[in-house]
Amino acid sequence: MKNRWTSTWYFAGRKALSRSTRGWWSGVIEATIAAVLILLGVILLVATVTANVLQSTPTEFYSKLLYFALQPLLAVSMIGIGTFLVINALWKVGASAERRSVIVSKASQLEVLTEIHRRRGDLPTVPAKSSIPLKGTRLPYRILASRRGVWGLLTAGVLCLIFVSIVAVLVVTAYVKWQMGRTDWIAGMLAIPILLAAVWSFYRFLRQLLKTTSVGPTVIELARYPIVPGVSNEIFLSQSGRLRLKLMDVRLVCVEEATFNQGTNTLTERREVYAQRLFRKRGIMLRAKEPFESSFEFTIPAGAMHSFQSSSNRITWQIEVHGQIDGFPNVARIFEIVVIPAAAEGQPTLRLAIPQPA
Amino acid sequence: MIRLDKSEHSFLPGDVLVCEYEIRLPAEMLADAVESSVIWTTGGKGEEDIGVHFFERRSKSTLDADQLRRTHRISTVLPRSPLSYVGVIVQIRWSVRLRVFVGNQQFTDDLHFQLGNAIAASDLSPCDE
């Protein structure tokens, strides 16, 4: 007999196995397998090379060349497969489905800013190359996200590989010497703290990987570009993924950056000098094939300073998309936008004539 | 001495900046070179950056005592960027700079002016959070 409770349980059970949740878990598993494959491959490669160097005489080495060659080959294959899976996951996050197909088939039509390069000649210190938009699908200009997240992932990965390699060498060295009847206490003692560092760095790498790949590509498109203070601009936002966003926030931010020398160090200080919330929504269910979409307007305050870049100083405007996910690290996507000075009286504004998509 | 054609020293992008300068040196001193420039410089926490919009150098061969004492004039069309700006850790300032080379010595004089009407960071509307 059906009642409210059995129906609720049935619905909850079905929800746990819904297509979006299964899709989310498949992404998590894929990223985890990729990270573990790379880790095991590195350990196997380093351990094999170290053991062979320590144990074999030249005669033994050449007589067992095939055996010695297979192990590193297996290790390299594991590293290669894991790296491919990571790159594949990043590719899917970094570009929406329609963009991927355009990149493959129509690469020559992507860049639309020959006109911007020509007209930027009279705007010294306004960044020209750093944030060149592409042709949008809903609005004329699509802004690309900053690459900071990917660099963070690469840094965490390299750090993890370094620590893991050191631990593998130390452990194998200690073990081989123990087999020979010698005890290498130094290698053993050094291995402990470095092992802890390796475990921590692997956790950081895995967390960074999940943070980067769990939420799908974020698309920001604008009606006007570059942006002029005091002029309203329409923005289109699209977010895909395979999970539920507890909260999504979109902010317009102006940041000043100053680089200076302090003793022998070079430091960069960043200061947020303006922030405006453009959009906020709670409880967004993301689906891979049904992205969340929204359009709204924003205006850079009239009289605000334009984008500026010199060797040691920067003024940057950016649109930040923040996502909070239960049980996951928060996700942030940064889109740098170029703001040019408002036109002097009588001078033409800088507008691009972009053919509207069919 | 440097004089600008606008007493309020405030210009908009595209305006023509006209500047006159005079150099008075003791009779025994002879200028080797005179450089006049219109520049922007950054200030604040970061290392100072400098951008040169206009530059003119007069060397010894084109200068004599009489020429030096005359009023010299430079003019240039001001660019659209960067605008003068007072930020929290970054500032941008425009100036006309005069540099006179006398032997091993250099004498420098700056006259600051405002380009554009960019709002100071502290005067932007409060954050809407």
Side-chain angles (χ1 to χ4, degrees):
Chain A
M1 183 176 76
K2 266 190 186 177
N3 59 39
R4 187 165 65 95
W5 300 111
T6 55
S7 297
T8 305
W9 176 85
Y10 178 73
F11 178 70
R14 290 278 292 180
K15 209 175 178 184
L17 296 175
S18 68
R19 189 171 55 181
S20 63
T21 310
R22 280 202 302 272
W24 175 76
W25 274 109
S26 73
V28 170
I29 291 169
E30 186 180 329
T32 307
I33 288 174
V36 170
L37 268 177
I38 295 174
L39 177 70
L40 291 177
V42 168
I43 292 173
L44 183 60
L45 179 66
V46 173
T48 303
V49 171
T50 306
N52 291 334
V53 167
L54 288 176
Q55 285 184 309
S56 66
T57 63
T59 311
E60 284 177 334
F61 178 79
Y62 287 110
S63 67
K64 296 180 183 177
L65 186 61
L66 183 64
Y67 171 74
F68 286 152
L70 275 179
Q71 280 186 312
L73 197 62
L74 174 64
V76 168
S77 302
M78 291 170 72
I79 294 171
I81 292 170
T83 305
F84 170 76
L85 289 175
V86 169
I87 292 172
N88 191 45
L90 290 175
W91 168 249
K92 285 178 187 171
V93 168
S96 59
E98 61 271 21
R99 170 148 172 74
R100 288 200 296 275
S101 64
V102 168
I103 288 172
V104 169
S105 63
K106 296 184 182 180
S108 62
Q109 296 181 14
L110 283 179
E111 302 304 326
V112 298
L113 294 182
T114 308
E115 183 67 9
I116 275 193
H117 278 296
R118 185 181 73 80
R119 294 196 187 190
R120 287 256 180 100
D122 66 338
L123 287 171
T125 72
V126 176
K129 293 181 182 175
S130 62
S131 47
I132 297 177
L134 303 176
K135 193 186 216 177
T137 52
R138 295 287 190 94
L139 294 175
Y141 308 100
R142 176 171 293 192
I143 309 299
L144 296 178
S146 165
R147 297 282 180 204
R148 267 182 237 159
V150 176
W151 283 116
L153 176 66
L154 285 175
T155 305
V158 168
L159 198 64
C160 174
L161 289 180
I162 290 171
F163 280 128
V164 165
S165 302
I166 295 172
V167 165
V169 168
L170 289 172
V171 168
V172 169
T173 302
Y175 176 73
V176 166
K177 287 188 176 177
W178 174 74
Q179 274 197 321
M180 292 178 184
R182 292 182 289 163
T183 308
D184 191 338
W185 290 107
I186 296 175
M189 295 296 289
L190 278 176
I192 295 171
I194 297 179
L195 176 65
L196 293 174
V199 169
W200 169 85
S201 63
F202 179 71
Y203 165 74
R204 295 287 303 178
F205 170 69
L206 188 62
R207 183 181 166 91
Q208 194 72 19
L209 182 65
L210 289 173
K211 187 176 172 179
T212 308
T213 58
S214 59
V215 178
T218 305
V219 173
I220 292 283
E221 292 184 355
L222 301 175
R224 298 164 182 256
Y225 198 83
I227 298 157
V228 177
V231 179
S232 177
N233 202 337
E234 188 185 354
I235 179 171
F236 168 73
L237 164 72
S238 170
Q239 177 66 62
S240 61
R242 294 175 284 200
L243 41 68
R244 183 179 177 278
L245 278 180
K246 191 169 94 174
L247 175 68
M248 175 188 269
D249 247 332
V250 181
R251 301 166 77 228
L252 172 68
V253 168
C254 179
V255 177
E256 293 179 7
E257 270 186 36
T259 302
F260 53 95
N261 294 321
Q262 197 169 64
T264 54
N265 297 327
T266 300
L267 304 174
T268 298
E269 181 171 334
R270 301 181 84 243
R271 196 74 69 89
E272 197 174 277
V273 299
Y274 178 82
Q276 180 193 354
R277 179 185 299 142
L278 302 180
F279 175 86
R280 170 175 271 204
K281 191 175 172 69
R282 296 183 184 276
I284 301 173
M285 179 57 71
L286 300 179
R287 296 182 173 83
K289 292 186 180 177
E290 294 175 30
F292 168 78
E293 296 178 347
S294 184
S295 292
F296 42 92
E297 301 221 338
F298 76 97
T299 306
I300 305 278
M305 180 60 180
H306 58 81
S307 301
F308 170 81
Q309 182 169 325
S310 62
S311 303
S312 302
N313 298 273
R314 285 185 75 195
I315 300 167
T316 309
W317 287 87
Q318 53 200 35
I319 294 173
E320 300 179 350
V321 180
H322 297 269
Q324 286 183 26
I325 310 163
D326 276 330
F328 255 75
N330 293 342
V331 175
R333 301 263 161 91
I334 312 291
F335 298 82
E336 279 193 24
I337 54 176
V338 173
V339 176
I340 62 173
E345 193 173 350
Q347 289 183 353
T349 56
L350 182 65
R351 297 283 299 275
L352 296 185
I354 301 288
Q356 293 297 319
Chain B
M1 184 175 68
I2 309 174
R3 285 191 301 268
L4 290 175
D5 59 335
K6 275 193 177 181
S7 57
E8 64 272 20
H9 296 181
S10 180
F11 298 85
L12 291 175
D15 281 354
V16 178
L17 177 141
V18 178
C19 171
E20 293 179 343
Y21 65 87
E22 295 173 7
I23 300 170
R24 300 268 185 261
L25 290 175
E28 65 276 15
M29 295 175 90
L30 279 175
D32 295 314
V34 174
E35 291 178 351
S36 53
S37 54
V38 178
I39 60 171
W40 58 262
T41 54
T42 60
K45 279 215 164 180
E47 298 292 319
E48 185 185 76
D49 293 325
I50 182 169
V52 179
H53 171 67
F54 171 89
F55 181 83
E56 183 182 75
R57 179 181 170 94
R58 294 168 186 254
S59 61
K60 203 173 184 179
S61 58
T62 60
L63 289 170
D64 59 29
D66 288 333
Q67 283 176 326
L68 205 59
R69 275 194 288 273
R70 268 189 250 149
T71 300
H72 298 269
R73 169 179 280 212
I74 59 173
S75 74
T76 182
V77 177
L78 293 171
R80 292 177 64 190
S81 65
L83 302 180
S84 298
Y85 175 66
V86 178
V88 176
I89 58 173
V90 175
Q91 289 96 44
I92 299 169
R93 189 162 57 176
W94 280 86
S95 51
V96 179
R97 175 168 288 179
L98 193 63
R99 195 185 293 271
V100 181
F101 298 84
V102 179
N104 294 328
Q105 293 177 298
Q106 295 181 26
F107 300 96
T108 307
D109 193 14
D110 287 346
L111 180 64
H112 303 298
F113 64 91
Q114 173 86 11
L115 178 62
N117 297 314
I119 298 175
S122 57
D123 293 336
L124 277 176
S125 300
C127 299
D128 182 14
E129 296 283 65

